[in-house]
Amino acid sequence: MQPILLQGRPAFSEFRIASLTNALNETIPEHDIARIDAVEVYLIESEAPLDDETTRRAFTLLGAEKHFERQNQLGGFFVTPRKGTISPWSSKATDIFHNCELSHVARVERGIHYILTTETGLVLSAVDLGMALLALHDRMTEGVYENLGDFFQHPEPAPLRTVPLMAEGPEAFARANMEWGLALSPEEIDYLVAA
């Protein structure tokens, strides 16, 4: 089911926006960014549309201002926790929703929607920013997305894989490390084999 998107307040102060604009223009001067619009966005996972009372309470709990409408009109992109992960903020916010008797809300998450506009009025995509995008997100914990329609997907877990350590010895761990992309150091492999 599509997440319910609510729009919150501006994500940054004017000072922070000016600082981000300067940093981006130093990194990618060819785009000449004139304006950064960044608003908080809240994603709600629910099995059914929210009734009026639940919607009112969700707006109050989150400090949201309206249903999210910006993307269809203006473009831009989202920065949220990576799809498939649950942020600490989400865990706490979902607990608060459940404690406020909004138990049919399965999960709540937050992110930021960015619209970057050049001096010529062009709205930039995340791809246009290249490596400068690193100024707007932490790639270890966050992802950049144009669409959040699949944000709360619950894919089937990958099948269990085992390492035939007893039959093949430490070489089996080294092979699994390469084939599965585990990035284990030789010391870590030795530790796991010994354990």
Side-chain angles (χ1 to χ4, degrees):
M1 178 165 203
Q2 289 265 32
I4 298 164
L5 295 176
L6 304 181
Q7 183 173 319
R9 297 174 290 269
F12 304 112
S13 68
E14 288 298 320
F15 177 80
R16 179 73 174 126
I17 289 290
S19 177
L20 280 173
T21 303
N22 290 337
L24 289 171
N25 281 328
E26 286 176 11
T27 306
I28 48 170
E30 65 275 12
H31 288 305
D32 197 16
I33 296 168
R35 180 181 171 119
I36 298 176
D37 289 308
V39 296
E40 295 173 339
V41 103
Y42 300 99
L43 299 90
I44 298 175
E45 178 183 22
S46 178
E47 292 300 317
L50 303 181
D51 60 42
D52 291 342
E53 177 61 17
T54 304
T55 300
R56 184 189 64 73
R57 292 172 73 192
F59 272 78
T60 300
L61 286 170
L62 296 170
E65 298 178 349
K66 60 183 177 179
H67 286 277
F68 184 79
E69 301 164 349
R70 298 178 75 194
Q71 185 183 24
N72 294 337
Q73 299 166 357
L74 303 169
F77 54 90
F78 298 92
V79 172
T80 67
R82 289 185 172 277
K83 292 179 180 179
T85 65
I86 299 174
S87 72
W89 184 93
S90 175
S91 297
K92 192 63 164 171
T94 303
D95 285 347
I96 291 169
F97 267 63
H98 292 170
N99 289 336
C100 291
E101 299 179 4
L102 298 173
S103 56
H104 51 283
V105 171
R107 187 167 150 216
V108 182
E109 189 58 84
R110 72 175 172 177
I112 298 174
H113 184 258
Y114 288 95
I115 298 174
L116 282 68
T117 311
T118 66
E119 284 289 346
T120 61
L122 176 68
V123 174
L124 299 176
S125 71
V127 174
D128 295 328
L129 299 178
M131 291 304 287
L133 191 60
L134 295 176
L136 302 178
H137 83 296
D138 175 359
R139 65 182 177 175
M140 293 295 288
T141 60
E142 296 175 320
V144 178
Y145 309 104
E146 289 185 10
N147 186 321
L148 296 176
D150 63 345
F151 190 81
F152 291 122
Q153 275 191 347
H154 300 281
E156 289 295 318
L160 176 67
R161 297 190 281 185
T162 59
V163 177
L165 182 61
M166 299 305 286
E168 299 177 24
E171 296 79 24
F173 245 119
R175 188 173 53 255
N177 187 36
M178 293 297 294
E179 291 173 1
W180 300 351
L182 300 177
L184 296 171
S185 70
E187 295 79 16
E188 290 170 318
I189 292 174
D190 292 342
Y191 170 79
L192 292 171
V193 169

